[in-house]
Amino acid sequence: NEVALNQVLVRFGDDETTARVVAAVQAEGSCWAGATVWQGQSAMRLSVSSWATTDADIERALAAICAAAKRTAGQV
């Protein structure tokens, strides 16, 4: 059985900004991203584990995450 990475952690500078981006992505609703702590720092956790996930789903999720990061970047 070939093992593939299906979880990714992303951080947006600091804990507060990361938490705001996670909350914005969750509120937007086109994908789900969870908050986590890794090595003492907040991060966004993304998982892709469904056989039904398409390239278009990934593009939509990426666009939502990038838009949330841009919106929240100046709120520190």
Side-chain angles (χ1 to χ4, degrees):
N1 188 14
E2 185 178 328
V3 177
L5 182 67
N6 74 336
Q7 293 202 358
V8 178
L9 297 182
V10 181
R11 185 164 162 79
F12 298 91
D14 57 44
D15 289 349
E16 295 78 20
T17 303
T18 299
R20 283 196 307 273
V21 173
V22 171
V25 169
Q26 291 173 347
E28 192 273 339
S30 63
C31 68
W32 177 260
T36 191
V37 175
W38 187 67
Q39 295 187 346
Q41 296 185 323
S42 294
M44 173 188 286
R45 183 181 57 214
L46 303 162
S47 297
V48 179
S49 57
S50 173
W51 63 269
T53 302
T54 65
D55 288 347
D57 295 328
I58 301 298
E59 292 296 327
R60 189 169 44 255
L62 181 58
I65 293 165
C66 289
K70 287 178 184 176
R71 282 193 309 272
T72 60
Q75 297 179 15
V76 177

